[in-house]
Amino acid sequence: MSELAKPRRVVLKVSGECFCPPGERGIAMESVMLLAEQVAKSAKEGIQIAIVMGGGNILRGGQFKASNASILESTAHYMGMLATIINGLALQDAIESAGHPTRLMTAIEMGAIAEPYYRRRAVRHLEKGIIILLAGGTGSPFVTTDTAAAQRALELGADVLLKATKVDGVYSDDPEKNPQAVLYSELTYEAVRQQRLRIMDQESIAKCGEHAMPVQIFNFRTPGNLARALRGERIGTLVTDKK
Ligand code: UDP
């Protein structure tokens, strides 16, 4: 198969905030369906899609840190990982009701509802055009699903790691606080590190940089943006090693 004919493969990181309307928590199936419909449509165009779900709409391990010493921090992180599996179940049904097959794969074994994550099996699913939903993060506490997304993008040989966020991309400063903040369309990993730009946790972006994995950050709430990013359009901010 020529390089040109190689299908595009993406890892899409969707935070928990994609599972509910702005400012709310929990799961709203209207929000999940918006996501599901765009993803199903792109998969039909031949794009191989692996989705790493966050869980912040339900629970983040760090939230118990100060307030409740009776939950160990590690336990709280496992609870956060389970939240991502709850999101995965919701997204699975939503994508299938939008007409595309999926497999839910988890980093923490949960045989009654999902397959355990194996890299080789995940690749097989992708090659068959099945959308894979990667839940449970890395399976280890004290990191976030950004780490899982970077890890999976590298091991699955993705062309890009797409990060769906609520802002248009990476800004020089917080655009909600500073109206002068500039939106970057391109950045290098080095610039992200030097300017301490908060795109994803630092280890994850460093890992992507080490292995030249492009990272694209875009606003998933703008209608059509998700499909455009999946297709490879240059929206939002693209982080690469190209100066
Ligand atoms: N988590 C973890 N290990 C992982 C992935 C996630 O311990 O590999 C826990 C962690 O507590 C995290 C929570 O699961 O806060 C939910 O994930 P995340 O915060 O990344 O969700 P998002 O902010 O993307 O909605």
Side-chain angles (χ1 to χ4, degrees):
M1 197 185 279
S2 77
E3 200 54 32
L4 276 178
K6 207 174 132 222
R8 178 172 162 81
R9 179 176 295 173
V10 304
V11 167
L12 170 67
K13 158 72 206 287
V14 290
S15 315
E17 66 195 8
C18 302
F19 288 77
C20 54
E24 292 186 17
R25 292 181 64 79
I27 295 178
M29 283 316 279
E30 310 82 70
S31 304
V32 186
M33 275 315 295
L34 279 179
L35 186 64
E37 276 158 7
Q38 295 187 72
V39 167
K41 195 160 166 274
S42 302
K44 297 247 177 303
E45 292 169 8
I47 301 160
Q48 299 182 356
I49 305 171
I51 306 179
V52 172
M53 282 82 45
N57 56 319
I58 301 172
L59 188 147
R60 287 197 182 92
Q63 76 192 57
F64 293 100
K65 218 171 179 172
S67 61
N68 201 334
S70 55
I71 293 182
L72 289 177
E73 199 175 342
S74 48
T75 306
H77 286 302
Y78 280 107
M79 291 161 72
M81 286 183 256
L82 295 185
T84 74
I85 300 176
I86 295 176
N87 284 339
L89 283 167
L91 187 55
Q92 175 165 49
D93 277 9
I95 295 174
E96 295 203 340
S97 77
H100 204 86
T102 64
R103 293 286 186 281
L104 179 61
M105 307 184 91
T106 54
I108 296 173
E109 283 204 34
M110 215 171 263
I113 53 172
E115 292 179 7
Y117 173 80
Y118 293 121
R119 190 191 68 83
R120 293 172 73 100
R121 190 184 282 179
V123 168
R124 284 289 296 136
H125 292 326
L126 289 172
E127 287 170 348
K128 288 189 206 153
I130 296 168
I131 296 173
I132 53 172
L133 305 174
L134 306 177
T138 61
S140 298
F142 298 100
V143 289
T144 70
T145 51
D146 282 355
T147 306
Q151 178 68 36
R152 299 304 182 225
L154 292 174
E155 65 184 286
L156 295 173
D159 295 301
V160 64
L161 167 54
L162 296 177
K163 182 163 165 149
T165 68
K166 58 183 178 188
V167 289
D168 288 339
V170 183
Y171 287 84
S172 54
D173 196 1
D174 183 344
E176 281 166 22
K177 293 184 189 141
N178 177 0
Q180 311 296 324
V182 177
L183 174 67
Y184 297 114
S185 61
E186 285 176 22
L187 277 170
T188 59
Y189 306 105
E190 186 54 23
V192 171
R193 194 183 60 79
Q194 277 180 356
Q195 296 179 47
R196 296 172 171 268
L197 296 169
R198 285 214 238 118
I199 294 179
M200 52 201 297
D201 55 54
Q202 280 182 355
E203 301 80 39
S204 315
I205 189 76
K207 191 60 117 198
C208 289
E210 265 169 52
H211 298 275
M213 170 61 60
V215 181
Q216 188 173 356
I217 299 99
F218 66 97
N219 190 336
F220 74 92
R221 295 207 198 273
T222 306
N225 252 8
L226 179 52
R228 292 170 68 198
L230 287 167
R231 230 182 280 134
E233 283 184 37
R234 289 288 293 271
I235 53 167
T237 304
L238 183 66
V239 186
T240 63
D241 54 8
K242 292 188 191 74
K243 295 230 164 58

